[in-house]
Amino acid sequence: MFQNTKCECGHQNPVGTVLCEACGKPLLEETAQSNEVLEMRYDGMARRSQRSNPNIIDRIWNFFSSVKIAVYMIVLTLVGSMLGTIYPQESTFLNIDPSVYYKETYGQLGHIYYLLGLSHTYESWWFILLLVMIGASLVICSLDRVLPLYKALNKQRIRKHLQFLTRQRLVYQGSIEEAPEEWIKKAVTPLRKKGYRVHTQGDALLAEKQRFSRWGPYVIHIGLIIFLLAVLARGLPGLNLDEHVAFPEGEIKKIPNTSMYLKNEKFNVEFYSDDEVPEQFKNLNKTVPKLFETKVVLYECTADCSDLSKKPQLAEVARHDVRVNQPLNYQGLKAYQFDYDLTPTIRSVTPDLVNVKTGEVYGSLKIDMMDTQRTFKAGPYTLTVKEKFMDFALDDKGEPKSKSPSPNAPAFLFHIKGPDLPEKGIQYLYFAKQIDKQRFQQDAINRQLVGGELPLQLEVDSMDKVDLIQSVSYLNIRVDKAMPFVWVGAGIVMLGLVMGFYWHHRRIWIRFDDERITLGGHTNKNWFGFRREVAGILKQMNLEVDEKSLDNGGNQA
Amino acid sequence: MGKSRRTVQIVILCLILVLGGYAITTSVSGSNGKPKEGDRAPSFELLGLDGQVHTSDEYQGKAMVINFWGTWCEPCVKEMPALQAQADKWKDKGVQFVGINVGEDQMTVDNFVRQVGVTFPIMLDRDKNSVRDYGISPMPTTFFVSETGKISTIHIGQLDLDTLDAQISQLAKQP
């Protein structure tokens, strides 16, 4: 349909314009005839992308440009977010198989929940798609509206069409006996006093204040876009990390996916004593920890980091006592106390090689459980580790084996060579734990291996010779480098909200037609305050006006 | 005025498409990280028993049988001779066998490998990085990877010589 968009003032307007860009005359046939209050949205400008014959790109653009569509998308996202809160999300568990967990814990409904993919709502493609579409809508909606609005407000004609004034929500008409130019000149002072910027042109006047509050919504949109982009950026490698790592006391361990290493120097736990615990807890027969803390040292790898065949070179960068709510924080890498395990495990033993008959001590050997040294020297004797079993047991054929990789019952089979021993040397089985020596009858086995009385023995004379890992501390390692941007985005949103809420854009147009003065006023909120302000200004100009009589009806902003 | 505006529109729509596509693919592919049959086999970089660092790139273009095992795990120990036999059989037919030991030290693995007579490459995964990447929970787990680097089958539990042979024949036939 061909639509004439040329105004009678001679200005050529784009398709979709409601009020002439220059003089403000209503352009559409049906609105031009009526006397209703004008729709002042975007000052009657056409949205940027409106075209008479849209092609495919215009159609996509217009889809995202529509506020109605944006509202639907926001509602859908809200509904989706709500669905995601019915049962706990998969990501809140450390070690579950979701295909059975939901059925076992929440029954058939839980299983359906899992099958629908709602157990990972916030990572699902449709949820992300909605967020992306909202992001697109934010950008396109803003662009389509802010540019025309900026243009409209930046180049305002002072003398507007009479209909534009009389169809504002605030209107005053009357007769003035003074010369119009004189009256306009006098009106400038009281308006300026109220904070208006005043522009005059002969017998017409435009007064305006706090235009910047119109940009509030768009500032909010910019903040939201930064927010969304920051959330999106968390998926980039290195920007986000959330791992639960076990740190045995006294060991340096690599933090996965980083070049950082962390050492748990000491783990402490204090429990509430019986008289400190309330009655309810006493009956549960549970010990309640008062404090648990891990003294940690953080290292950064400086060289040989990625070469697995070399030992990485580490430099200490931070030291902290990690407690609940007091994480280690080093350049955004945070370590939170998460859990602990007080089961001691053996790290190494340092037994002496002793002559059984004379009691002579030849020397001691430090046997590590992991990365055990292969050969040891003790006096004139050479000991070689032939086999080691971390969790000693015998299989169905009576052969020794290890039933797990943890050092629960560590045993070492040595081959010993030296003076007073047979040419080939002897075999010697050594259990690191005293309890296992008895349980597996170490002496009897060894007598069998030697074929007689034992000439030598490995002995531990005190507990100092046994190095234990007293506990394991579990830390939650987190990196979230996108977080500052999330805060910046949120801050900008807040700024936009303040701009839009606490200031109002007010405009007053005045024109004379002979002695007849017409005043039109527009604001985006607080009409009551605006009417009072206008009535006050008119009073200073010796025009007594009742505030309420200024109201032209209508409720369009 | 239309032309520059059109370019702006196209640029913005393209940006949204790229960012959105990126967001959706990363969220879908990275949701639980456990590779499934048909996915690309994760790459690895591990210290071999020979003291050299080996990466999955070395075996590019070859079909692979990747076996996760431990000396303390009985079924792993039991299936090892069958794996070795198959490794010998397929050695010259472009099928590479790799054994990844989970979390044990050099001496333990060395002793075991010598006793059983394993000759195909064995890697040590002390920090359990590959265990994490491959999403291993029970052992043994064996991945059959095609020449194109796609996981064709994941076998959890002990393998026997016959099924192993059948599976590898299938793997070798695949383009």
Side-chain angles (χ1 to χ4, degrees), chain A residues 458-476:
Chain A
L458 281 172
E459 272 176 11
V460 170
D461 53 8
S462 80
M463 271 315 276
D464 299 344
K465 301 275 179 83
V466 184
D467 186 8
L468 291 176
I469 299 170
Q470 296 291 355
S471 58
V472 178
S473 174
Y474 293 88
L475 301 179
N476 178 206

mmCIF file of all heavy atoms in Angstrom, chain A residues 458-476:
data_model
loop_
_atom_site.group_PDB
_atom_site.id
_atom_site.type_symbol
_atom_site.label_atom_id
_atom_site.label_comp_id
_atom_site.label_asym_id
_atom_site.label_seq_id
_atom_site.Cartn_x
_atom_site.Cartn_y
_atom_site.Cartn_z
ATOM 1 N N LEU A 458 64.525 -56.342 58.961
ATOM 2 C CA LEU A 458 64.252 -54.893 58.868
ATOM 3 C C LEU A 458 63.367 -54.535 60.041
ATOM 4 O O LEU A 458 62.304 -55.116 60.234
ATOM 5 C CB LEU A 458 63.555 -54.561 57.546
ATOM 6 C CG LEU A 458 64.440 -54.485 56.290
ATOM 7 C CD1 LEU A 458 63.593 -54.346 55.054
ATOM 8 C CD2 LEU A 458 65.419 -53.323 56.376
ATOM 9 N N GLU A 459 63.809 -53.553 60.827
ATOM 10 C CA GLU A 459 63.069 -53.235 62.048
ATOM 11 C C GLU A 459 62.825 -51.741 62.177
ATOM 12 O O GLU A 459 63.676 -50.924 61.828
ATOM 13 C CB GLU A 459 63.870 -53.695 63.274
ATOM 14 C CG GLU A 459 63.576 -55.121 63.646
ATOM 15 C CD GLU A 459 64.462 -55.586 64.796
ATOM 16 O OE1 GLU A 459 65.135 -54.740 65.417
ATOM 17 O OE2 GLU A 459 64.474 -56.801 65.048
ATOM 18 N N VAL A 460 61.658 -51.424 62.700
ATOM 19 C CA VAL A 460 61.345 -50.033 63.023
ATOM 20 C C VAL A 460 61.274 -49.949 64.533
ATOM 21 O O VAL A 460 60.495 -50.657 65.157
ATOM 22 C CB VAL A 460 59.998 -49.620 62.388
ATOM 23 C CG1 VAL A 460 59.542 -48.292 62.912
ATOM 24 C CG2 VAL A 460 60.113 -49.566 60.880
ATOM 25 N N ASP A 461 62.146 -49.110 65.141
ATOM 26 C CA ASP A 461 62.162 -49.100 66.601
ATOM 27 C C ASP A 461 61.265 -48.031 67.224
ATOM 28 O O ASP A 461 60.976 -48.090 68.400
ATOM 29 C CB ASP A 461 63.602 -48.996 67.128
ATOM 30 C CG ASP A 461 64.344 -47.820 66.520
ATOM 31 O OD1 ASP A 461 63.683 -47.012 65.820
ATOM 32 O OD2 ASP A 461 65.563 -47.706 66.723
ATOM 33 N N SER A 462 60.823 -47.043 66.422
ATOM 34 C CA SER A 462 59.886 -46.075 67.007
ATOM 35 C C SER A 462 58.940 -45.551 65.932
ATOM 36 O O SER A 462 59.218 -45.677 64.740
ATOM 37 C CB SER A 462 60.648 -44.906 67.639
ATOM 38 O OG SER A 462 61.034 -44.011 66.632
ATOM 39 N N MET A 463 57.865 -44.953 66.382
ATOM 40 C CA MET A 463 56.875 -44.441 65.438
ATOM 41 C C MET A 463 57.400 -43.247 64.641
ATOM 42 O O MET A 463 56.833 -42.873 63.627
ATOM 43 C CB MET A 463 55.581 -44.039 66.159
ATOM 44 C CG MET A 463 54.567 -45.164 66.308
ATOM 45 S SD MET A 463 54.319 -46.128 64.809
ATOM 46 C CE MET A 463 53.132 -45.112 63.956
ATOM 47 N N ASP A 464 58.513 -42.650 65.137
ATOM 48 C CA ASP A 464 59.103 -41.532 64.392
ATOM 49 C C ASP A 464 59.571 -41.968 63.015
ATOM 50 O O ASP A 464 59.707 -41.156 62.107
ATOM 51 C CB ASP A 464 60.321 -40.964 65.141
ATOM 52 C CG ASP A 464 59.928 -40.429 66.492
ATOM 53 O OD1 ASP A 464 58.709 -40.219 66.694
ATOM 54 O OD2 ASP A 464 60.816 -40.236 67.341
ATOM 55 N N LYS A 465 59.816 -43.235 62.891
ATOM 56 C CA LYS A 465 60.347 -43.744 61.621
ATOM 57 C C LYS A 465 59.237 -44.004 60.597
ATOM 58 O O LYS A 465 59.508 -44.433 59.490
ATOM 59 C CB LYS A 465 61.122 -45.053 61.876
ATOM 60 C CG LYS A 465 62.283 -44.911 62.845
ATOM 61 C CD LYS A 465 63.516 -44.446 62.098
ATOM 62 C CE LYS A 465 64.712 -44.258 63.020
ATOM 63 N NZ LYS A 465 65.429 -45.489 63.311
ATOM 64 N N VAL A 466 58.002 -43.807 61.060
ATOM 65 C CA VAL A 466 56.882 -44.009 60.143
ATOM 66 C C VAL A 466 56.288 -42.648 59.796
ATOM 67 O O VAL A 466 55.891 -41.898 60.683
ATOM 68 C CB VAL A 466 55.786 -44.910 60.776
ATOM 69 C CG1 VAL A 466 54.677 -45.176 59.770
ATOM 70 C CG2 VAL A 466 56.381 -46.198 61.273
ATOM 71 N N ASP A 467 56.305 -42.346 58.528
ATOM 72 C CA ASP A 467 55.767 -41.052 58.097
ATOM 73 C C ASP A 467 54.342 -41.265 57.597
ATOM 74 O O ASP A 467 54.117 -42.015 56.645
ATOM 75 C CB ASP A 467 56.667 -40.492 56.984
ATOM 76 C CG ASP A 467 56.258 -39.085 56.588
ATOM 77 O OD1 ASP A 467 55.381 -38.509 57.276
ATOM 78 O OD2 ASP A 467 56.807 -38.573 55.600
ATOM 79 N N LEU A 468 53.413 -40.611 58.282
ATOM 80 C CA LEU A 468 52.007 -40.805 57.920
ATOM 81 C C LEU A 468 51.431 -39.546 57.283
ATOM 82 O O LEU A 468 51.790 -38.436 57.660
ATOM 83 C CB LEU A 468 51.184 -41.131 59.163
ATOM 84 C CG LEU A 468 51.410 -42.484 59.829
ATOM 85 C CD1 LEU A 468 50.561 -42.561 61.086
ATOM 86 C CD2 LEU A 468 51.086 -43.635 58.897
ATOM 87 N N ILE A 469 50.569 -39.759 56.315
ATOM 88 C CA ILE A 469 49.733 -38.658 55.838
ATOM 89 C C ILE A 469 48.531 -38.674 56.770
ATOM 90 O O ILE A 469 47.722 -39.589 56.740
ATOM 91 C CB ILE A 469 49.299 -38.882 54.375
ATOM 92 C CG1 ILE A 469 50.518 -38.953 53.460
ATOM 93 C CG2 ILE A 469 48.337 -37.785 53.936
ATOM 94 C CD1 ILE A 469 50.209 -39.394 52.048
ATOM 95 N N GLN A 470 48.467 -37.688 57.662
ATOM 96 C CA GLN A 470 47.474 -37.741 58.728
ATOM 97 C C GLN A 470 46.050 -37.598 58.216
ATOM 98 O O GLN A 470 45.126 -38.152 58.772
ATOM 99 C CB GLN A 470 47.739 -36.642 59.762
ATOM 100 C CG GLN A 470 49.053 -36.787 60.496
ATOM 101 C CD GLN A 470 49.064 -37.979 61.444
ATOM 102 O OE1 GLN A 470 48.052 -38.650 61.630
ATOM 103 N NE2 GLN A 470 50.226 -38.267 62.023
ATOM 104 N N SER A 471 45.915 -36.807 57.170
ATOM 105 C CA SER A 471 44.550 -36.541 56.719
ATOM 106 C C SER A 471 44.585 -36.069 55.272
ATOM 107 O O SER A 471 45.638 -35.763 54.730
ATOM 108 C CB SER A 471 43.929 -35.445 57.583
ATOM 109 O OG SER A 471 44.741 -34.298 57.498
ATOM 110 N N VAL A 472 43.421 -36.013 54.704
ATOM 111 C CA VAL A 472 43.264 -35.465 53.359
ATOM 112 C C VAL A 472 42.265 -34.321 53.450
ATOM 113 O O VAL A 472 41.225 -34.455 54.085
ATOM 114 C CB VAL A 472 42.738 -36.533 52.368
ATOM 115 C CG1 VAL A 472 42.527 -35.931 50.997
ATOM 116 C CG2 VAL A 472 43.689 -37.701 52.288
ATOM 117 N N SER A 473 42.636 -33.193 52.872
ATOM 118 C CA SER A 473 41.715 -32.057 52.873
ATOM 119 C C SER A 473 41.165 -31.894 51.461
ATOM 120 O O SER A 473 41.912 -31.932 50.484
ATOM 121 C CB SER A 473 42.475 -30.798 53.294
ATOM 122 O OG SER A 473 41.639 -29.680 53.165
ATOM 123 N N TYR A 474 39.872 -31.746 51.360
ATOM 124 C CA TYR A 474 39.255 -31.537 50.052
ATOM 125 C C TYR A 474 38.976 -30.056 49.871
ATOM 126 O O TYR A 474 38.309 -29.444 50.714
ATOM 127 C CB TYR A 474 37.959 -32.328 49.924
ATOM 128 C CG TYR A 474 38.182 -33.820 49.918
ATOM 129 C CD1 TYR A 474 38.227 -34.538 51.105
ATOM 130 C CD2 TYR A 474 38.370 -34.495 48.725
ATOM 131 C CE1 TYR A 474 38.449 -35.907 51.112
ATOM 132 C CE2 TYR A 474 38.591 -35.864 48.715
ATOM 133 C CZ TYR A 474 38.626 -36.567 49.907
ATOM 134 O OH TYR A 474 38.847 -37.914 49.898
ATOM 135 N N LEU A 475 39.510 -29.501 48.811
ATOM 136 C CA LEU A 475 39.300 -28.085 48.550
ATOM 137 C C LEU A 475 38.544 -27.921 47.243
ATOM 138 O O LEU A 475 38.710 -28.703 46.316
ATOM 139 C CB LEU A 475 40.635 -27.341 48.463
ATOM 140 C CG LEU A 475 41.545 -27.388 49.688
ATOM 141 C CD1 LEU A 475 42.829 -26.631 49.405
ATOM 142 C CD2 LEU A 475 40.859 -26.786 50.909
ATOM 143 N N ASN A 476 37.722 -26.901 47.227
ATOM 144 C CA ASN A 476 37.010 -26.545 46.005
ATOM 145 C C ASN A 476 37.795 -25.399 45.357
ATOM 146 O O ASN A 476 37.912 -24.323 45.930
ATOM 147 C CB ASN A 476 35.581 -26.119 46.365
ATOM 148 C CG ASN A 476 34.772 -25.689 45.167
ATOM 149 O OD1 ASN A 476 33.848 -24.919 45.296
ATOM 150 N ND2 ASN A 476 35.112 -26.180 43.991
#
